[in-house]
């Protein structure tokens, strides 16, 4: 066995949901598995996306050989524009994943300079000292792979996102055989998706929704609107097939829905029979019972096509009494209110709305494996070390417990989080320190608009109680106060009528009681004004607006 | 039958979740059923509670005879301080509901002036032309009633919140007989709780959680922390009983948990055996396997006892490795992130955490009746008119459909929303116009701190992109600009370094290119500055901060 140390360092995704990114290092060579984003929590005001802090990579920029993608979901590819603009390294991914990546890089003007390498499940390729074997897995997206990375110390397997779907709609089976073979030969470490570790049993096959679709297509008398995640290629395919069988034309509405279905058709994942597809503008020319619309907006996003249709504010998508709207998706935590608000509007339009109410057959199934599938893969792979990935802390912990109980199949469980350095050598594995990791907040989707913590903190403060600005003019020659203080506020409710006058008095008093030295030191006088005004406001209104004194030099 | 019109007017709760409040009017007499609040959605920045607009009541203040409460939950009593401070009318409620009300009014300094009248299930009382019969129902709270209101036109029944629990923990049974009797005699209208209309079957009895508690108490080796809604008196009772059986002392931690358990004990809903209760500060004197702690904070509220304990920031509640924390509650939509964040922290403390993962026996059951219970009450009551209450629009609609299909038991279904006037007379029932209703946003829990829409809109704007204030000093005598423009920002990230200088230039240019008439009209010059700066900022940064020009007269 060669001497040397293998480092595996998660830069994101372990201890948080999303922004999956993991560095694998042998000596002077680093590869990165996935480059995902995270959608911000509500308290990150004005932040559009969150990406991992990649200072470990930029500090080692001469060693980073490239990024290998497991599949094309945002939490695995969404940070690519940000990372590539800091560090333009080659990217490897399957045909379908790269199609999404191309779209994304194009949007950010990064496509021309990017080096994208297509990989094929089952075909090995080399990056530096690593030989990488992409293994076909099943998931809610198509063309997804796990990665077996041959390192000088042994093989490590990263599952990516997966479920073990025995009957995938595209008949591209989960490659159990490769997992089995690695298990026989010996695997150093297995890094496995923890997303659904809280669910008992097996996740149903993607085909389970077919029965629901069957039922809905059979019973729908008027227009049928179906909304699903635009990356749910299996669902798009199913909808196209069912529309054809039931004599309905199909229209795609929404930007992501259109681009996703185009990619899927180009790459042969969906076949749309001649004449089936119609332009949304032509829907009105067909009787309602002959139309099926695939429309984006399952999460009630305010500007999405479905949200706008729900309030009758979409050019083409007109939802009328007796139409059916099916939401073939899960409710992402945090979006409940927006989704139910949209559903309420659909009810008001007297549409028949079908959404996940726990009934069977299901209108949506998960793309992530449940406990029995996690156990199956562990039994096949029999790793020396088992490392849960992709999950909040409790999920990693539960996954560690699940694997820890499988004595015959797992040598040792390593519970690590983003930033931990997991070190392997000939003696074993251990946590060997930490690197700097964290979240970078990006505004307005542009790849470079980082929002600093202080600004988010300010926004949170502003959003609670608003802002109060006492403004005074000071003559820079004489040091004299040249105006009576002005007070302006936004987002602040002063309550009583006399508030403004009194607040002005307070500022005036503070000025009068300050020496001319104090008045000459703007820092000091501002702080005095802030303190006095804060005390007054807090006493009068029990509120704590942001108070920002301004001195105008004249 | 007397001639006259009976009006039933929901002021809140129909078409929205919470803030249940309904006016019932015969001639010059109005009674109000319930006075609830609603917890604000995240986008209502800096708003603590939302209460119904009661202008209908204040405009008819001489006719309002009082408020009758069905039970003590916040969405039924929480607006009382707000309403009574506008309109101090008598309040009727059961012993337990009034105990909660007293606490609340006391906190707002309104208790002395309030007229509170205790009612008892089964004992009729009169208000003006109405005879009211409180009927005992079962729910997650204790001492809850439905109201049969005898009006000159017939009896209307308002269910309040209920489930039909065949085995309530306090053995106070759902009074099915009274519903049956009214059904035999004839009921004009039934107003029924729609909360769980989306659930099939029956809601399990509150006693179903006993099996889970049994299991947990039997298997817990160290300290046991149980969190539930502080108003879940059934759970408090259960926990007290189990702690006694299993030889654990019990401590209550958290303000609401303490006041709720005290009320329940005072009124005999919980019996705490001598010596069982310990002060939280004394916990450390008992071995871990002898302690059970009831702690508030099921929803991950940042300042709650459990959230603070989860990050080891609570004086008494120290959670250690191997301790068990059971969350006996549901996840209220919108709170997922906060709750899971708290659970993650508990996992990090190596606590064993039990939360609702859908497994059986359940760790929590709902307090609202499912479809079969709704059908049962309809079959018993056989109302001429059926009106769904308490629900978002889709729930009212689904409830209307459920009842509409029960041809033998329901005359006609009336689907109304908050603000609709439902009019009954000898000829029948109809919607007869609308009144003004709406939401009043209250800040900081004080009963009078209304937050105007404009202020919330400002806060939302501020929270997205921050604020930019160009400030100039103008000599009010000469009209001359006396300083170079100052620009201050908060919560705004300008991106490029040269931004501030250029922005100042823009303002300067605008000033230079304006006539002295324009400069004399502050409204005009402010608007010109705003427009020019907005264009510049939007071009440079793709952002839309709130821009607020300030002119200081000197």
């Amino acid at each position: 066995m060669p001497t040397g140390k293998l480092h595996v360092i998660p830069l994101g995704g372990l201890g948080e949901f999303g922004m999956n990114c993991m560095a694998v290092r042998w000596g002077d060579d680093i590869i990165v598995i996935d480059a995902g984003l995270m959608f911000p929590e509500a308290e990150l005001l004005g932040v559009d996306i969150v990406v991992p802090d990649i200072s470990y990579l930029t500090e080692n920029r001469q060693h980073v050989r490239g990024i290998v993608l497991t599949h094309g979901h945002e939490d695995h590819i969404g940070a690519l524009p940000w990372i590539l603009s800091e560090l333009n390294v080659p990217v490897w991914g399957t045909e379908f994943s790269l199609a999404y990546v191309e779209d994304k890089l194009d949007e950010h003007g990064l496509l021309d300079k990017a080096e994208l390498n297509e990989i094929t499940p089952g075909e090995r390729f080399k990056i530096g000292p690593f030989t990488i074997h992409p293994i076909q897995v099943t998931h809610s997206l198509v063309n997804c792979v796990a990665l077996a990375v041959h390192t000088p110390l042994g093989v490590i397997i990263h599952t990516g996102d997966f479920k073990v779907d025995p009957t995938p709609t595209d008949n591209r089976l989960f490659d159990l055989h490769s997992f089995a073979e690695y298990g026989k030969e010996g695997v150093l470490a297995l890094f496995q998706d923890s997303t659904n570790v809280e669910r008992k049993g097996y996740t149903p096959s993607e085909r389970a929704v077919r029965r629901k679709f069957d039922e809905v297509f059979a019973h729908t008398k008027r227009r049928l609107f179906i909304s699903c995640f635009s990356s749910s290629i299996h669902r798009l395919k199913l909808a196209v097939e069912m529309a054809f069988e039931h004599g309905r034309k199909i229209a795609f509405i929404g930007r992501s829905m259109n681009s996703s279905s185009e990619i899927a058709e180009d790459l042969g994942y969906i076949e749309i029979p001649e004449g089936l597809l119609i332009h949304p503008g032509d829907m009105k020319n067909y009787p309602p019972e002959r139309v099926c619309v695939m429309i984006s907006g399952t999460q009630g996003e305010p500007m999405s096509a479905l949200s706008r249709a729900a309030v009758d504010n979409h050019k083409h998508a007109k939802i009328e009494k007796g139409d059916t709207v099916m939401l073939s998706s899960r409710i992402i935590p945090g979006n409940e209110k927006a989704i139910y608000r949209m559903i309420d509007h659909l009810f008001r339009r007297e549409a028949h709305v079908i959404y996940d109410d726990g009934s069977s057959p299901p209108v949506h199934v998960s793309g992530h494996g449940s406990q029995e599938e996690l156990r199956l893969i562990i039994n096949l792979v029999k790793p020396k070390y088992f490392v849960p990935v992709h999950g909040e802390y409790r999920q990693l912990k539960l996954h560690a417990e699940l694997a820890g109980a499988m004595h015959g199949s797992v040598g040792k469980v390593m519970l690590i989080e983003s930033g931990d350095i997991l070190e392997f050598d000939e003696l074993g594995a251990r946590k060997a320190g930490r690197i700097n990791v964290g979240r970078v907040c990006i505004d307005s989707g542009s790849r470079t608009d980082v929002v600093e913590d202080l600004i988010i903190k300010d926004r949170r403060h502003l959003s609670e109680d608003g802002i109060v600005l006492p403004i005074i003019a000071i003559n820079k020659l004489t040091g004299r106060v040249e105006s009576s203080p002005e007070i302006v506020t936004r987002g602040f409710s002063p309550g009583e009528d006399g508030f403004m006058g009194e607040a002005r008095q307070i500022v005036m008093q503070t000025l009068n009681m300050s020496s001319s030295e104090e008045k000459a030191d703007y820092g000091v006088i501002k702080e005095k004004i802030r303190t006095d005004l804060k005390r007054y406001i807090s006493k009068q209104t029990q509120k704590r607006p942001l108070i920002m004194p301004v001195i105008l030099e004249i």
Side-chain angles (χ1 to χ4, degrees), chain A:
Chain A
M1 193 172 277
T3 53
K5 292 187 189 303
L6 177 71
H7 282 180
V8 178
I9 312 169
L11 305 181
L14 274 72
E16 60 213 344
F17 176 75
M19 136 177 155
N20 298 300
C21 187
M22 179 180 272
V24 179
R25 177 176 196 155
W26 174 263
D28 278 349
D29 294 288
I30 298 172
I31 57 170
V32 179
I33 297 177
D34 287 335
L37 62 71
M38 168 194 273
F39 292 103
E41 296 160 24
E43 62 238 53
L44 292 179
L45 295 163
V47 172
D48 294 310
I49 64 167
V50 179
V51 297
D53 178 340
I54 53 160
S55 38
Y56 175 75
L57 301 180
T58 49
E59 285 160 14
N60 292 284
R61 57 170 65 242
Q62 71 279 20
H63 304 309
V64 182
R65 305 289 166 241
I67 300 171
V68 188
L69 305 173
T70 60
H71 66 289
H73 276 145
E74 288 287 3
D75 53 338
H76 293 259
I77 68 166
L80 270 181
W82 158 254
I83 294 181
L84 293 189
S85 68
E86 299 281 313
L87 194 72
N88 192 15
V89 295
V91 176
W92 282 261
T94 60
E95 179 186 43
F96 193 88
S97 305
L98 290 188
Y100 272 13
V101 168
E102 279 169 21
D103 251 25
K104 189 172 283 289
L105 295 181
D106 196 21
E107 206 178 291
H108 290 96
L110 293 166
L111 186 53
D112 290 346
K113 281 185 286 178
E115 186 194 327
L116 305 180
N117 304 293
E118 192 179 316
I119 62 178
T120 307
E123 290 183 13
R124 299 177 184 209
F125 60 99
K126 273 184 77 84
I127 309 178
F130 305 107
T131 299
I132 300 170
H133 174 192
I135 310 175
Q136 186 160 285
V137 298
T138 46
H139 183 44
S140 46
L141 190 55
V142 295
N143 213 194
C144 305
V145 293
L147 299 172
V149 181
H150 296 246
T151 79
L153 277 183
V155 174
I156 62 173
I157 296 182
H158 187 295
T159 63
D161 284 358
F162 76 97
K163 68 182 185 182
V164 184
D165 190 336
T167 55
T169 63
D170 58 2
N171 296 320
R172 301 192 190 200
L173 296 175
F174 191 107
D175 182 1
L176 292 167
H177 302 84
S178 289
F179 282 91
E181 214 144 305
Y182 280 112
K184 266 173 75 177
E185 288 165 12
V187 170
L188 177 61
L190 173 63
F191 298 82
Q192 181 163 272
D193 177 19
S194 313
T195 309
N196 269 357
V197 69
E198 288 158 296
R199 298 204 195 172
K200 292 189 171 56
Y202 279 89
T203 301
S205 168
E206 177 65 28
R207 229 169 257 253
V209 301
R210 189 178 184 100
R211 281 183 296 148
K212 185 71 182 188
F213 273 54
D214 251 334
E215 203 181 286
V216 172
F217 270 90
H219 291 104
T220 296
K221 301 267 174 293
R222 288 183 44 94
R223 275 189 194 153
L224 174 58
F225 293 82
I226 302 176
S227 192
C228 63
F229 297 114
S230 62
S231 62
S232 298
I233 306 302
H234 302 294
R235 303 280 159 84
L236 300 187
K237 179 176 151 74
L238 183 58
V240 166
E241 288 171 10
M242 305 287 275
F244 183 71
E245 283 171 28
H246 289 266
R248 287 178 184 261
K249 299 288 178 189
I250 200 162
F252 292 98
I253 296 186
R255 206 176 65 91
S256 63
M257 196 57 94
N258 270 300
S259 83
S260 203
S261 61
E262 264 172 43
I263 290 173
E265 201 189 359
D266 283 353
L267 300 182
Y269 286 89
I270 301 181
E271 263 179 75
I272 305 183
E274 190 70 31
L276 189 72
L277 191 66
I278 59 171
H279 184 273
D282 294 336
M283 274 164 49
K284 55 182 183 305
N285 304 327
Y286 294 87
E289 69 276 16
R290 291 275 155 260
V291 175
C292 172
V293 183
M294 298 301 293
I295 187 165
S296 39
T298 60
Q299 300 303 306
E301 308 90 333
M303 294 311 293
S304 70
L306 186 55
S307 282
R308 281 155 55 209
V311 293
D312 199 20
N313 186 23
H314 193 282
K315 202 171 158 193
H316 301 306
K318 300 281 175 205
I319 295 174
E320 288 163 14
K321 182 175 171 167
D323 287 349
T324 295
V325 181
M326 173 159 60
L327 299 176
S328 178
S329 58
R330 75 183 184 110
I331 293 178
I332 295 179
N335 297 345
E336 289 83 358
K337 294 226 168 186
I339 294 172
Y340 281 118
R341 198 181 301 147
M342 178 176 77
I343 291 177
D344 276 356
H345 283 300
L346 293 169
F347 267 90
R348 282 175 210 274
R349 312 209 70 71
E350 300 196 60
H352 179 52
V353 189
I354 298 164
Y355 50 100
D356 193 357
D357 60 355
S359 67
S360 182
V363 69
H364 173 72
V365 293
S366 172
H368 297 269
S370 302
Q371 290 173 2
E372 295 312 318
E373 290 152 275
L374 303 178
R375 291 199 176 99
L376 173 62
I377 299 303
I378 292 172
N379 276 334
L380 284 174
V381 172
K382 302 211 293 185
K384 274 194 200 158
Y385 293 95
F386 178 81
V387 187
V389 298
H390 304 169
E392 298 183 1
Y393 187 82
R394 75 182 181 289
Q395 295 165 322
L396 302 180
K397 187 80 193 288
L398 291 169
H399 203 179
E401 285 172 10
L402 178 146
M406 298 176 67
H407 302 295
S409 309
V410 173
K412 189 171 191 307
V413 174
M414 304 295 291
L415 180 58
I416 60 170
E417 289 189 78
S418 300
D420 284 332
I421 299 172
L422 179 58
E423 182 176 87
F424 297 90
D425 58 20
E426 68 275 21
L427 297 173
R430 69 204 65 90
K431 278 192 221 181
R434 280 186 62 78
I435 61 158
N436 267 334
V437 290
R439 304 176 181 191
V440 178
C441 297
I442 309 265
D443 201 349
S444 80
S446 148
R447 70 179 185 283
T448 48
D449 283 352
V450 175
V451 188
E452 306 294 338
D453 286 353
L454 183 66
I455 290 190
I456 295 170
K457 214 176 128 211
D458 272 359
R459 286 180 187 167
R460 210 171 301 159
H461 197 157
L462 290 168
S463 75
E464 276 297 314
D465 281 334
I467 187 169
V468 173
L469 299 102
I471 304 173
I472 52 172
I474 290 186
N475 187 313
K476 69 180 147 201
L477 298 176
T478 64
R480 238 185 50 194
V481 176
E482 294 280 2
S483 70
S484 71
E486 185 66 57
I487 302 220
V488 303
T489 76
R490 280 317 268 269
F492 170 73
S493 54
E496 315 276 313
D497 280 347
F499 175 85
M500 285 298 188
E502 279 185 49
R504 260 191 226 105
Q505 285 297 321
I506 298 286
V507 177
M508 208 62 219
Q509 250 171 48
T510 308
L511 289 170
N512 290 339
M513 288 168 63
S514 303
S515 66
S516 48
E517 287 79 22
E518 285 177 320
K519 269 181 268 195
D521 186 337
Y522 295 166
V524 171
I525 191 69
K526 276 185 191 175
E527 188 51 32
K528 286 188 75 170
I529 293 173
R530 214 181 59 77
T531 308
D532 292 349
L533 202 53
K534 186 179 164 186
R535 190 180 309 121
Y536 168 73
I537 291 175
S538 157
K539 198 168 139 233
Q540 291 293 309
T541 69
Q542 285 81 50
K543 299 206 179 71
R544 308 191 320 105
L546 210 158
I547 300 174
M548 186 182 180
V550 177
I551 291 176
L552 208 57
E553 268 193 342
I554 58 170

